[in-house]
Amino acid sequence: MESQLYSVQVKNSVGASVGASVGASVGASVGASVGVWIPGDQLLLEHPAIAAAEKEFGREGLEVVIVESLARRNRLPYHRRKSVLMLSAMRHYAEELRHLGYRVDYRRAATIGAGLSSYLAERGHPSPFKFLTMAASEYSARRLQNELLPALLDVEIEVLPNTQFLSERFNPVPAGKRPIMENFYREMRRHFAVLLEPEGKPAGGKWNFDQDNRRPLPAGLELPEADGWEPDEITRQVIEEIDREGHGYGEAAGFRLAVTREEARQALDLFIEQRLPDFGSYEDAMSSRSATLFHSLLSPYLNIGLLDPLTTIRAAESAWRDGRAPLNSVEGFIRQILGWREFIYCQYWQQMPELQTANHWQANRPLPALFWNGQTEMNCLGHVVGNVLDSGYSHHIERLMIICNFCLLAGIEPRQVADWFNAMYIDAFDWVVLPNVIGMGLNADGGKTATKPYLASANYINKMSDYCGGCRYDKKVRTGANACPFNFLYWNFLLNNEAALRANPRLGPAVLGVSRIGTEERDRIGHEARHFLESLDK
């Protein structure tokens, strides 16, 4: 999108004006009959609140209101590249709407409530007037829309159904039933007619090609470069702001993420052309050679509305039907969006608000300093955490089988782990993090999200990565000075929770090995686990 940009003073409810190249800000318009309030993670081109307002009042009778909330920005020490992504995408979205002929009031305020309140005050709070908005994807934000803001502003707020998720359009889980991922995924495939043969059977004769998606990375395989876009004027000014404020972790410099709808669509096209063909086979692989491998890196754009999930799914499906990508890659990618992403969103709303404090294994150890500085002798953990601190990204297997696996085995308090994910990852929001981290990764919801805890020793990490090569710890040793911590932590967890783990039909066989460990070795495992965990607190 080409925008006519020039420096303006963004309206600021905090006090001093804030310089930013965000396009012409026309201010609150007394001619508007309705305000369309759009939160920063709803950057949809076809926004239902805009469509409803335009249908009722005409384009001239509506004004879009977008608020940068300082409270939201400072709630956690966010990775600076995540902050740049959010602010730059929001400001580009305002320009996109102006380019389409909409009036946009873009302002910065201490809170969302303060921003909307100042907007109403500037326009004289005429009556009748109301805000239209789309239901938020996060629990706290939806409560803000439905309860807190109407009382604070003394104005009607009409909250329209969320269209950002396919499961809001069709939920395959019967009321009162526990969702099972595979059943959920199949029903979503049927409803949206994705990867189906004419008679309704799954393409290739199977619903799931997961068994074909677990190959370790060959040593000589050429790996693609990650996509990147040069920051434009808006993004450069956001980077300067973030650096000047000094809040958060990581470096804003080097930011090359997509921030416009056009760039996000380019990212989708580049993934399908360059990485989708090999994505499926190496979906679970991990490597020190590349943080991105063949992954799409599209989740940030899906999660803030720059990409539509069904459009993304259809693009991948077309690549298979046109012979540009194999079925195991396309099905694996579609399963991540139509299956897991939507399933996680449903789990979030089924389990909230209790999910926020779930702690099934009674883990209470604080998050170690290594998650903030990357300093550890464990090569795998140091490499993955280091990449996250550098870029705000690691792929899903590293999140599950390195970071969450370690935190589960080490007994780290779940909410602290979730807060770290929310702060550090460029694609993280509560609806993503809580069921994925507290639910699946840490099994702290008691198995509501995943039917078994995902635990692994160094054997799995060695099989699926090259991290063990050159590590000072021995991947094959259970105890001793050079034993990999993943080994003694793994067996220590099994020993301490043997009865509960044996009761799980999916885990029982994996726990049988505990019976072969003698008393002396049990004591050594427990001693070394305690010694290691105590060292994390120093």
Side-chain angles (χ1 to χ4, degrees), residues 175-188:
K177 295 290 185 179
R178 176 184 173 181
I180 303 297
M181 164 60 184
E182 185 62 26
N183 298 338
F184 179 99
Y185 172 54
R186 293 183 185 189
E187 287 303 312
M188 293 290 278

Side-chain angles (χ1 to χ4, degrees), residues 49-280:
I50 293 179
E54 189 166 7
K55 182 178 180 180
E56 184 174 358
F57 300 100
R59 185 165 300 190
E60 68 283 354
L62 71 90
E63 185 165 40
V64 175
V65 185
I66 303 174
V67 180
E68 285 184 11
S69 166
L70 295 183
R72 182 67 176 87
R73 283 176 54 187
N74 296 327
R75 189 165 70 187
L76 291 170
Y78 294 107
H79 197 291
R80 290 174 186 168
R81 291 191 186 177
K82 179 176 185 176
S83 297
V84 173
L85 170 65
M86 293 301 301
L87 295 185
S88 181
M90 288 169 65
R91 295 179 186 182
H92 279 94
Y93 180 64
E95 282 299 297
E96 181 180 30
L97 293 180
R98 291 189 181 106
H99 183 74
L100 293 172
Y102 294 100
R103 289 178 296 178
V104 180
D105 184 279
Y106 192 104
R107 58 184 60 219
R108 170 184 280 188
T111 64
I112 293 292
L116 297 180
S117 180
S118 66
Y119 171 83
L120 290 172
E122 289 175 22
R123 67 190 310 284
H125 200 330
S127 183
F129 183 84
K130 67 177 178 180
F131 282 115
L132 283 176
T133 190
M134 182 176 80
S137 58
E138 294 186 325
Y139 181 88
S140 60
R142 197 169 289 191
R143 182 167 176 260
L144 182 73
Q145 291 173 321
N146 289 300
E147 301 175 27
L148 304 181
L149 284 180
L152 172 69
L153 302 176
D154 189 27
V155 69
E156 179 186 356
I157 298 181
E158 183 177 347
V159 182
L160 300 174
N162 187 294
T163 62
Q164 214 163 342
F165 295 86
L166 299 175
S167 52
E168 292 272 14
R169 308 176 202 176
F170 168 73
N171 186 347
V173 183
K177 295 290 185 179
R178 176 184 173 181
I180 303 297
M181 164 60 184
E182 185 62 26
N183 298 338
F184 179 99
Y185 172 54
R186 293 183 185 189
E187 287 303 312
M188 293 290 278
R189 286 263 299 271
R190 291 188 183 102
H191 179 81
F192 290 100
V194 173
L195 289 180
L196 294 183
E197 300 298 355
E199 63 274 17
K201 294 181 179 179
K206 295 195 298 184
W207 289 102
N208 190 312
F209 287 81
D210 189 49
Q211 293 296 326
D212 298 324
N213 296 355
R214 300 176 182 178
R215 292 177 59 188
L217 199 69
L221 184 65
E222 184 177 352
L223 301 177
E225 293 290 331
D227 305 326
W229 289 264
E230 285 299 319
D232 64 3
E233 182 180 347
I234 290 178
T235 302
R236 290 195 299 271
Q237 289 205 354
V238 172
I239 291 172
E240 291 174 6
E241 287 178 32
I242 297 299
D243 283 340
R244 185 168 59 248
E245 292 171 2
H247 180 71
Y249 276 78
E251 298 293 333
F255 178 91
R256 289 171 57 81
L257 295 170
V259 292
T260 68
R261 199 171 317 281
E262 179 182 350
E263 289 174 347
R265 287 171 175 168
Q266 290 173 4
L268 172 60
D269 292 341
L270 287 169
F271 165 66
I272 289 175
E273 176 186 346
Q274 299 176 359
R275 302 193 298 284
L276 179 59
D278 289 308
F279 167 75

